[in-house]
Structure formats: C-alpha cells, structure tokens
Amino acid sequence: MLMLRDPNGLARALVVLLAANIAVDFPLATIDLYTLSLDYTVAGAPDGPSEAAAEIGLMLPVYGLAILLYLATIVVFIVWFHRARQNAGVWAPDLQSRGAGWAIGGWFVPFVWFWIPRGIAGDIWRSSRPDPYAADRSGELTVVNVWWGLWVAGNLVARLSGRLEDRAETVDEALTATWWSLAGTGLEIGAAVFAILFVRRVTSMQNAKANGMIPAA
C-alpha cells in the first residue's frame, strides 16, 4: 500500500535555507560590485578583482557560509522533492512520467538534469492540485517554469564566470568574469525566490489534499 509522506517539516526547513541563501547572496553581490567600481589604472590600486575582493575582510567567511548553505539546501530540497513525488504517485500514478527514483537521480545524471527534474516538478504540481486530470490553466505553471529557467541559467552563468576567471590573464578579462559572477548571483537570488514559492505552493496543495482523503492503494 502506498502511503502519503508528510512534507511539512522539510518544507519549513527548506524555506529557511533558501531565504538564508538569498541573504548571503547579497554580500556576494556587494563584493562583486565593489571590485567592479575600482579604478585599476591609478597608483596603489589593486592588481585585479581578486586582490580587490581580498581586501574585504569578510570575503572568505561569506564564501564559506554560502557554500555550506548551498550544500545543505541541495540535500534538503532533494529529500523534499522526492517526498513530494512519492505523494504525487499516490494521487495520480498514471500521470508520473518518471519513477520516484528519478526525483533524486535526475539531479545527478549529466545533461539530463536540464529537463528531467523540470518534468517531475510539473507532474508533482498537477498531481497535487484538486483535480490532477484537469487541463492546465493559463499561467498555472508560471512559478515552476520561472524557477526552473532561473535555476538553469544561474548554474550555466556561474560555470561560465568560473571558467573565465580561471583563464583570465588581464585585468579586463578578470573584470569580465566578475560581471558574469554578478549576473549569476542575481539569477540565483531570483531562482531561490521562485523556489520558495514552488515549495510553499506544492506543500500547501498536498496538505489540503491529504487532509480530505484516505491514503490511496
């Protein structure tokens, strides 16, 4: 017998972690803005963005905290996502395009993470609403689509900025990498905001549905 799983505790922890990620991203963006604002041609100026950023005493602690929060958020999100997918399989098993295992594995398989988690997210959303088999209303999946688009774009931009920084040999090239880093941080903030909306909405729908039904076989 398939049983419903309670997503509430994980959802609350996840919202807190996502909000903490947003809070830490702002100092990271400030560091990038500071390094971009300097005139590197004047006497006594830093030799480049990396040296300029190093002048900010909180740089390393902020980066360290950001990494820890990001890793914790990944773990909690995937556990919540898998639990939400299990519930979706109770209500509408025939609407699930992938097995519940893909709610975990789909995030780690190269290339397929571009679309498989998004498909599962749509399945979860539709299965959690009052009528899983109803046609999608206009704009109903906007939160899912915007969250996913921002998350994918943020990851790609972050990877690009890292590669540009590693290959930078001049101040101008390093500054270009910093601009991309700033853009990536902005995309990550947007993705975190819409992830909060997605988590809260799905959890709310699943709560409302679970409170009025007997666990399905």
Side-chain angles (χ1 to χ4, degrees):
M1 175 178 291
L2 298 175
M3 300 294 293
L4 294 175
R5 306 290 300 278
D6 183 5
N8 290 290
L10 286 169
R12 287 191 291 268
L14 187 51
V15 168
V16 170
L17 284 170
L18 287 166
N21 275 272
I22 294 171
V24 171
D25 277 339
F26 280 104
L28 294 178
T30 301
I31 292 172
D32 284 341
L33 287 171
Y34 169 75
T35 61
L36 291 168
S37 69
L38 297 177
D39 184 352
Y40 295 92
T41 63
V42 300
D47 292 333
S50 296
E51 183 178 334
E55 293 179 357
I56 303 177
L58 293 178
M59 185 189 72
L60 290 179
V62 171
Y63 279 126
L65 178 60
I67 292 172
L68 289 176
L69 282 172
Y70 187 69
L71 293 175
T73 304
I74 289 173
V75 172
V76 177
F77 183 89
I78 290 176
V79 175
W80 172 87
F81 194 68
H82 181 256
R83 183 165 296 187
R85 165 59 184 82
Q86 288 179 309
N87 289 343
V90 172
W91 289 311
D94 55 325
L95 288 184
Q96 310 311 308
S97 58
R98 304 278 177 176
W102 279 104
I104 298 175
W107 298 94
F108 300 100
V109 180
F111 301 108
V112 304
W113 66 264
F114 277 106
W115 68 85
I116 284 183
R118 163 59 187 84
I120 295 173
D123 295 341
I124 292 171
W125 185 285
R126 294 184 179 96
S127 302
S128 301
R129 64 192 180 190
D131 183 359
Y133 300 94
D136 296 341
R137 300 188 307 275
S138 177
E140 180 180 355
L141 296 177
T142 297
V143 168
V144 178
N145 293 331
V146 174
W147 157 62
W148 188 250
L150 290 172
W151 187 80
V152 170
N155 273 271
L156 293 177
V157 170
R159 294 185 184 191
L160 174 61
S161 67
R163 290 184 180 180
L164 290 175
E165 184 177 1
D166 290 340
R167 298 175 181 176
E169 296 180 354
T170 66
V171 171
D172 285 343
E173 290 174 345
L175 287 173
T176 298
T178 303
W179 276 113
W180 282 105
S181 174
L182 182 61
T185 300
L187 290 168
E188 289 171 3
I189 291 173
V193 170
F194 278 88
I196 290 173
L197 296 176
F198 171 64
V199 170
R200 287 175 58 87
R201 180 57 178 158
V202 167
T203 302
S204 176
M205 289 192 296
Q206 292 201 349
N207 280 334
K209 197 161 186 173
N211 289 334
M213 71 168 291
I214 299 173

